[in-house]
C-alpha cells in the first residue's frame, strides 16, 4: 500500500443480545466462552441464504483481521491447526509471542505496542488493494477502535434474547454524539442484521 493509496475500510461485525451484550459472565474468565456467547453467535453456523451472505461478505472482502488476545486464547489449541481466517491476523496483546503460522495460510501476529490503533495500521499495511480490515473483537477491542474513530462500517447481528449481565459492546465509549448512516436491515427470523456506516467527517 503506497502513501497515495487510501487506507482500507475497517469493518466490524458483532453478534449481540437485545440488551447489548456480546457474552455472559462466564466468558470473563478462562476459557472465555459461555452458553450465552454461543446463543448470540448461533446464526453464524446456520445454513440459510442470509447466513451464507453474511459469511461470504466477510471472507470475500477481507484482506486482514484484528482481534484481542482473549478472543485468540478462547480457541485454545484449535487455532494451532486451522482457523476461519486464512490470511494475516493481528492480535492485540501485552504478552509477546512469536507469529503462529498455519498450513491454511493463517498467520497470527502479536502486536504488543500501540494497542488497537497499531494493530489496525499493521493490518492495513498488508491488506491487498480493494480488501478490508476486519475487526473481529472482542468487545473491548471494538470499544477502543470506536473511541479512536477507526471503524468505517459497523454490522450488528442482534439475537432476540436478554443476557442480563456480562460484557456489553458499547460500554466505555466517549461522552459524545455520533451519527451513523443506516445501510441495511435484514430480518432473518432468529436474528436481525443491522448495518451502519460511520461518516468520514467524524473520523480522525
Amino acid at each position: 500500500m503506497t502513501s497515495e493509496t487510501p487506507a482500507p475500510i475497517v469493518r466490524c461485525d458483532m453478534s449481540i443480545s437485545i440488551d447489548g451484550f456480546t457474552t455472559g459472565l462466564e466468558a470473563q474468565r478462562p476459557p472465555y466462552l459461555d452458553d450465552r456467547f454461543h446463543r448470540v453467535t448461533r446464526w453464524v453456523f446456520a445454513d440459510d441464504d442470509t447466513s451464507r451472505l453474511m459469511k461470504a461478505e466477510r471472507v470475500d472482502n477481507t484482506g486482514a483481521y484484528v482481534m484481542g488476545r482473549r478472543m485468540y486464547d478462547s480457541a485454545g489449541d484449535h487455532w494451532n491447526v486451522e482457523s476461519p481466517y486464512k490470511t494475516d491476523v493481528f492480535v492485540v496483546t501485552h504478552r509477546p509471542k512469536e507469529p503462529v503460522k498455519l498450513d491454511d495460510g493463517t498467520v497470527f501476529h502479536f502486536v504488543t505496542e500501540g494497542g488497537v490503533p497499531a494493530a489496525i495500521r499493521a493490518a492495513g499495511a498488508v491488506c491487498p488493494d480493494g480488501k478490508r480490515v476486519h475487526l473481529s473483537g472482542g468487545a473491548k477491542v471494538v470499544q477502543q477502535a470506536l473511541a479512536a474513530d477507526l471503524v468505517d462500517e459497523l454490522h450488528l447481528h442482534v439475537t432476540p434474547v436478554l443476557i442480563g449481565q456480562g460484557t456489553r459492546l458499547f460500554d466505555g465509549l466517549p461522552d459524545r454524539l455520533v451519527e451513523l448512516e443506516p445501510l441495511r436491515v435484514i430480518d432473518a427470523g432468529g436474528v436481525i442484521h443491522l448495518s451502519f456506516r460511520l461518516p468520514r467527517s467524524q473520523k480522525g
Side-chain angles (χ1 to χ4, degrees):
M1 186 172 62
T2 67
S3 58
E4 291 78 21
T5 303
I9 289 173
V10 177
R11 170 176 171 146
C12 176
D13 287 73
M14 293 297 288
S15 297
I16 63 173
S17 63
I18 286 289
D19 48 349
F21 290 91
T22 60
T23 65
L25 290 173
E26 288 297 316
Q28 296 181 1
R29 52 184 176 267
Y32 307 119
L33 293 174
D34 67 351
D35 59 344
R36 300 179 191 193
F37 166 78
H38 289 298
R39 176 63 187 92
V40 298
T41 59
R42 183 188 299 172
W43 70 271
V44 176
F45 305 99
D47 187 23
D48 58 71
D49 290 343
T50 302
S51 294
R52 287 193 294 270
L53 169 65
M54 296 297 163
K55 288 179 280 189
E57 283 185 354
R58 175 180 63 80
V59 173
D60 295 345
N61 296 324
T62 300
Y65 293 83
V66 173
M67 69 170 60
R69 183 63 183 263
R70 182 175 292 184
M71 183 175 178
Y72 174 82
D73 288 344
S74 70
D77 291 336
H78 176 75
W79 280 349
N80 291 329
V81 179
E82 63 179 355
S83 84
Y85 305 110
K86 299 176 176 59
T87 187
D88 292 284
V89 182
F90 293 83
V91 182
V92 182
T93 181
H94 295 296
R95 290 174 282 152
K97 184 179 176 66
E98 291 298 312
V100 175
K101 300 181 180 180
L102 308 185
D103 291 340
D104 65 7
T106 302
V107 182
F108 291 104
H109 307 271
F110 297 86
V111 181
T112 57
E113 296 184 3
V116 173
I120 290 176
R121 286 194 300 270
V126 303
C127 200
D129 289 348
K131 296 290 187 177
R132 301 181 177 190
V133 171
H134 192 276
L135 189 62
S136 298
K140 292 188 182 301
V141 169
V142 175
Q143 290 163 8
Q144 293 175 52
L146 287 170
D149 294 325
L150 296 175
V151 178
D152 294 293
E153 291 185 5
L154 180 61
H155 300 260
L156 300 176
H157 312 285
V158 185
T159 300
V161 296
L162 298 173
I163 285 183
Q165 295 187 47
T167 300
R168 289 185 188 273
L169 179 58
F170 297 117
D171 278 354
L173 296 183
D175 182 16
R176 63 183 181 185
L177 178 68
V178 178
E179 297 283 355
L180 307 186
E181 176 188 349
L183 297 177
R184 181 176 64 187
V185 177
I186 299 177
D187 185 350
V191 58
I192 299 174
H193 305 281
L194 306 174
S195 299
F196 304 92
R197 179 181 292 119
L198 280 78
R200 287 275 179 177
S201 61
Q202 296 183 358
K203 292 172 60 61

